[in-house]
Amino acid sequence: MKILVVCLGNICRSPMAEGILRSKIKEKKLVIVVDSAGTADYHVGESPDARAIATSKKFGIDISSLRGRQFIADDFDRFDFIYAMDHSNYNNIKRLARNSGDIKKIFFFYTKENNALDVPDPWFGGPEGFIDVFDILEESSDRILSELQTL
Ligand code: 4NP
């Protein structure tokens, strides 16, 4: 199984989510491939934001080797599940869908009682915002992995 997590810049939320998911997948010995991407091209080829790297490191996760890349329509062929960090990302991904099969692959990363929620974008705030986001990403990663394990 292959899953893709998508935010706007691919330097804050989705690389942290990728790191968390990889760590949990390894720990649980699951066979799931994870990647991340951004809907925008602003930070292609860049390392994650220094605050995202530092926050992840605090929780024992090294995301420093990840590099930003932009989401492309081919990702619909390469991945089974595509998780959007917020409604804006969801709409941007959906705009690139070529058919209803593509649209069926798009999900929200953060949900509560089946309601889609936005993972707040920590880019404009201070470092404490990254801790709050990390907590949301960790809780949602657990939910997503248990959902995928029931398939
Ligand atoms: P991300 O955060 O989508 O979680 O990676 C952002 C990073 C950069 C920008 C916006 C959001 N930006 O406008 O450059």
Side-chain angles (χ1 to χ4, degrees):
M1 187 164 353
K2 292 186 171 186
I3 67 173
L4 181 67
V5 286
V6 182
C7 62
L8 175 62
N10 193 210
I11 54 164
C12 298
R13 293 166 292 178
S14 63
M16 287 201 284
E18 180 180 345
I20 293 167
L21 284 164
R22 280 180 191 226
S23 147
K24 288 181 185 291
I25 286 164
K26 196 172 168 194
E27 194 183 290
K28 295 175 198 280
K29 300 187 167 62
L30 303 175
V31 185
I32 300 175
V33 172
V34 189
D35 193 16
S36 67
T39 58
D41 65 358
Y42 315 142
H43 299 283
V44 170
E46 291 179 21
S47 302
D49 184 281
R51 297 164 295 177
I53 294 177
T55 304
S56 302
K57 198 174 166 195
K58 238 180 235 172
F59 294 94
I61 294 174
D62 180 8
I63 61 166
S64 62
S65 64
L66 300 180
R67 294 293 178 268
R69 77 159 177 99
Q70 190 173 22
F71 179 85
I72 52 170
D74 274 0
D75 287 319
F76 287 115
D77 299 324
R78 296 178 50 223
F79 294 94
D80 303 298
F81 295 91
I82 295 163
Y83 294 96
M85 287 292 161
D86 63 29
H87 284 75
S88 162
N89 307 149
Y90 184 95
N91 291 328
N92 287 329
I93 297 165
K94 196 173 166 190
R95 218 170 281 138
L96 291 173
R98 302 149 304 179
N99 51 53
S100 59
D102 286 354
I103 293 172
K104 284 193 189 125
K105 291 187 172 185
I106 318 171
F107 296 85
F108 280 89
F109 194 85
Y110 182 24
T111 66
K112 272 222 160 84
E113 282 132 27
N114 292 324
N115 292 313
L117 299 174
D118 290 342
V119 179
D121 188 341
W123 168 255
F124 295 105
E128 68 289 346
F130 281 75
I131 300 279
D132 296 343
V133 164
F134 193 95
D135 286 345
I136 293 172
L137 296 176
E138 173 143 53
E139 186 189 313
S140 299
S141 295
D142 283 332
R143 192 204 78 249
I144 286 168
L145 291 181
S146 44
E147 283 171 4
L148 294 177
Q149 278 181 271
T150 64
L151 296 179

